[in-house]
Amino acid sequence: MDTLGALALATEQPTNDLMSKPPVGRSEPLITKLMWRNLIPQAIYQVAILLTLQFKGRSIFGVQESAKDTMIFNTFVFCQIFNEFNARKLEKKNIFKGIHKNKLFLAIIGITIVLQLIMVEFLKKFADTERLNWGQWAACIGIAAMSWPIGFLFKCIPVSGEQLLFRQRAP
Protein backbone atom coordinates (compact mmCIF):
# COMPACT_ATOMS: atom_id res chain seq x y z
CA MET A 1 0.00 0.00 0.00
CA ASP A 2 2.83 2.42 0.78
CA THR A 3 4.36 1.76 -2.62
CA LEU A 4 1.12 2.55 -4.42
CA GLY A 5 0.61 5.67 -2.28
CA ALA A 6 4.11 6.91 -2.98
CA LEU A 7 3.64 6.22 -6.68
CA ALA A 8 0.33 8.09 -6.68
CA LEU A 9 1.91 11.15 -5.06
CA ALA A 10 4.93 10.97 -7.35
CA THR A 11 2.64 11.36 -10.37
CA GLU A 12 1.55 14.81 -9.19
CA GLN A 13 2.80 17.50 -11.58
CA PRO A 14 4.90 20.29 -10.06
CA THR A 15 3.17 23.66 -9.77
CA ASN A 16 4.39 27.11 -10.81
CA ASP A 17 4.68 27.96 -7.09
CA LEU A 18 7.62 25.59 -6.91
CA MET A 19 9.77 27.92 -9.01
CA SER A 20 9.08 30.89 -6.72
CA LYS A 21 10.63 29.10 -3.73
CA PRO A 22 14.35 29.25 -3.07
CA PRO A 23 16.46 26.09 -3.33
CA VAL A 24 16.71 23.92 -0.24
CA GLY A 25 20.18 23.22 1.10
CA ARG A 26 21.55 19.85 2.11
CA SER A 27 21.55 20.81 5.78
CA GLU A 28 17.84 21.72 5.76
CA PRO A 29 15.50 19.26 7.52
CA LEU A 30 13.86 16.68 5.29
CA ILE A 31 10.51 17.21 7.00
CA THR A 32 9.60 20.91 7.07
CA LYS A 33 7.42 22.72 9.61
CA LEU A 34 4.67 22.72 6.99
CA MET A 35 4.89 18.94 6.72
CA TRP A 36 4.87 18.55 10.50
CA ARG A 37 1.76 20.75 10.71
CA ASN A 38 -0.05 18.37 8.36
CA LEU A 39 1.47 15.13 9.66
CA ILE A 40 0.99 15.45 13.43
CA PRO A 41 -2.82 15.92 13.51
CA GLN A 42 -3.32 13.03 11.07
CA ALA A 43 -1.06 10.77 13.13
CA ILE A 44 -2.84 11.69 16.38
CA TYR A 45 -6.25 11.13 14.77
CA GLN A 46 -5.27 7.77 13.30
CA VAL A 47 -3.66 6.50 16.49
CA ALA A 48 -6.68 7.61 18.55
CA ILE A 49 -9.16 5.99 16.17
CA LEU A 50 -7.23 2.76 15.76
CA LEU A 51 -6.67 2.41 19.53
CA THR A 52 -10.35 3.09 20.15
CA LEU A 53 -11.26 0.40 17.63
CA GLN A 54 -8.71 -1.97 19.18
CA PHE A 55 -10.00 -1.65 22.73
CA LYS A 56 -13.68 -0.73 22.25
CA GLY A 57 -14.43 -1.86 18.68
CA ARG A 58 -16.19 -5.07 19.66
CA SER A 59 -18.62 -3.28 21.95
CA ILE A 60 -19.09 -0.25 19.65
CA PHE A 61 -19.91 -2.34 16.58
CA GLY A 62 -21.11 -5.55 18.25
CA VAL A 63 -18.73 -7.75 16.25
CA GLN A 64 -16.47 -10.71 16.87
CA GLU A 65 -12.72 -10.30 17.33
CA SER A 66 -11.89 -11.24 13.72
CA ALA A 67 -14.35 -8.71 12.28
CA LYS A 68 -12.99 -6.05 14.64
CA ASP A 69 -9.44 -6.75 13.48
CA THR A 70 -10.55 -6.53 9.85
CA MET A 71 -12.28 -3.21 10.56
CA ILE A 72 -9.08 -1.87 12.12
CA PHE A 73 -7.09 -2.95 9.07
CA ASN A 74 -9.70 -1.54 6.68
CA THR A 75 -9.95 1.78 8.53
CA PHE A 76 -6.16 2.12 8.57
CA VAL A 77 -5.88 1.53 4.82
CA PHE A 78 -8.67 3.99 4.05
CA CYS A 79 -7.09 6.59 6.37
CA GLN A 80 -3.97 6.33 4.21
CA ILE A 81 -6.00 6.62 1.02
CA PHE A 82 -7.86 9.72 2.19
CA ASN A 83 -4.64 11.23 3.51
CA GLU A 84 -3.00 10.84 0.09
CA PHE A 85 -5.40 13.53 -1.11
CA ASN A 86 -4.29 15.79 1.77
CA ALA A 87 -0.66 15.16 0.89
CA ARG A 88 -1.14 16.30 -2.73
CA LYS A 89 -1.25 19.95 -1.70
CA LEU A 90 0.54 20.67 1.58
CA GLU A 91 -0.23 24.39 1.57
CA LYS A 92 -3.60 24.48 -0.21
CA LYS A 93 -6.92 23.91 1.53
CA ASN A 94 -8.65 22.78 -1.68
CA ILE A 95 -7.07 19.36 -2.11
CA PHE A 96 -9.29 18.52 -5.08
CA LYS A 97 -8.24 21.38 -7.35
CA GLY A 98 -6.83 19.94 -10.56
CA ILE A 99 -7.36 16.34 -9.47
CA HIS A 100 -9.16 15.51 -12.72
CA LYS A 101 -5.94 16.33 -14.60
CA ASN A 102 -3.99 13.58 -12.86
CA LYS A 103 -5.58 10.41 -14.20
CA LEU A 104 -2.69 8.27 -12.98
CA PHE A 105 -3.20 9.45 -9.37
CA LEU A 106 -6.90 8.58 -9.59
CA ALA A 107 -6.12 5.21 -11.21
CA ILE A 108 -3.67 4.29 -8.45
CA ILE A 109 -6.17 5.31 -5.77
CA GLY A 110 -8.78 3.17 -7.56
CA ILE A 111 -6.40 0.20 -7.75
CA THR A 112 -5.61 0.53 -4.05
CA ILE A 113 -9.33 0.53 -3.20
CA VAL A 114 -9.99 -2.51 -5.41
CA LEU A 115 -7.04 -4.40 -3.88
CA GLN A 116 -8.34 -3.58 -0.40
CA LEU A 117 -11.80 -4.81 -1.33
CA ILE A 118 -10.30 -8.07 -2.65
CA MET A 119 -8.15 -8.49 0.49
CA VAL A 120 -11.09 -8.05 2.83
CA GLU A 121 -13.84 -9.82 0.93
CA PHE A 122 -12.12 -12.65 -0.93
CA LEU A 123 -8.73 -13.46 0.63
CA LYS A 124 -9.93 -14.50 4.06
CA LYS A 125 -7.40 -17.27 4.60
CA PHE A 126 -4.47 -15.53 2.92
CA ALA A 127 -4.97 -12.10 4.52
CA ASP A 128 -6.59 -13.37 7.75
CA THR A 129 -9.57 -11.07 7.22
CA GLU A 130 -13.30 -11.41 7.81
CA ARG A 131 -15.93 -10.32 5.31
CA LEU A 132 -17.58 -7.06 6.34
CA ASN A 133 -21.19 -6.02 5.82
CA TRP A 134 -22.24 -2.73 4.22
CA GLY A 135 -22.58 -0.98 7.56
CA GLN A 136 -19.09 -2.01 8.64
CA TRP A 137 -17.64 -0.85 5.31
CA ALA A 138 -19.47 2.46 5.69
CA ALA A 139 -18.13 2.88 9.24
CA CYS A 140 -14.54 2.22 8.13
CA ILE A 141 -14.78 4.63 5.20
CA GLY A 142 -16.67 7.26 7.22
CA ILE A 143 -14.11 7.21 10.03
CA ALA A 144 -11.26 7.43 7.52
CA ALA A 145 -12.94 10.25 5.58
CA MET A 146 -12.61 12.46 8.65
CA SER A 147 -8.99 12.91 7.50
CA TRP A 148 -10.24 15.45 4.96
CA PRO A 149 -11.88 17.94 7.36
CA ILE A 150 -9.03 17.48 9.84
CA GLY A 151 -6.54 18.28 7.08
CA PHE A 152 -8.58 21.33 6.06
CA LEU A 153 -8.83 22.67 9.61
CA PHE A 154 -5.14 22.32 10.34
CA LYS A 155 -4.21 23.99 7.06
CA CYS A 156 -5.88 27.10 8.51
CA ILE A 157 -3.10 27.28 11.11
CA PRO A 158 -0.20 29.41 9.83
CA VAL A 159 3.23 27.85 10.01
CA SER A 160 5.63 30.19 11.77
CA GLY A 161 9.11 30.47 10.35
CA GLU A 162 8.27 28.83 7.02
CA GLN A 163 7.20 32.06 5.33
CA LEU A 164 9.89 34.05 7.16
CA LEU A 165 12.50 31.55 6.05
CA PHE A 166 11.55 32.10 2.41
CA ARG A 167 11.53 35.87 2.76
CA GLN A 168 14.99 35.93 4.35
CA ARG A 169 16.55 33.97 1.52
CA ALA A 170 14.97 35.90 -1.36
CA PRO A 171 17.45 38.19 -3.16
Side-chain angles (χ1 to χ4, degrees), residues 86-148:
N86 285 327
R88 286 182 65 237
K89 310 277 185 193
L90 293 177
E91 299 170 3
K92 308 287 187 210
K93 292 176 191 161
N94 184 358
I95 57 175
F96 302 109
K97 185 177 182 181
I99 197 160
H100 63 282
K101 295 177 184 174
N102 194 343
K103 305 274 191 267
L104 191 53
F105 177 84
L106 294 174
I108 292 170
I109 294 294
I111 290 168
T112 306
I113 292 169
V114 168
L115 289 174
Q116 181 64 13
L117 183 102
I118 291 168
M119 288 276 286
V120 170
E121 294 297 317
F122 302 110
L123 298 179
K124 181 179 177 178
K125 293 210 186 293
F126 175 75
D128 196 26
T129 57
E130 190 71 34
R131 292 186 86 170
L132 300 178
N133 64 35
W134 287 105
Q136 293 163 341
W137 272 98
C140 294
I141 293 169
I143 291 167
M146 291 303 295
S147 295
W148 284 347

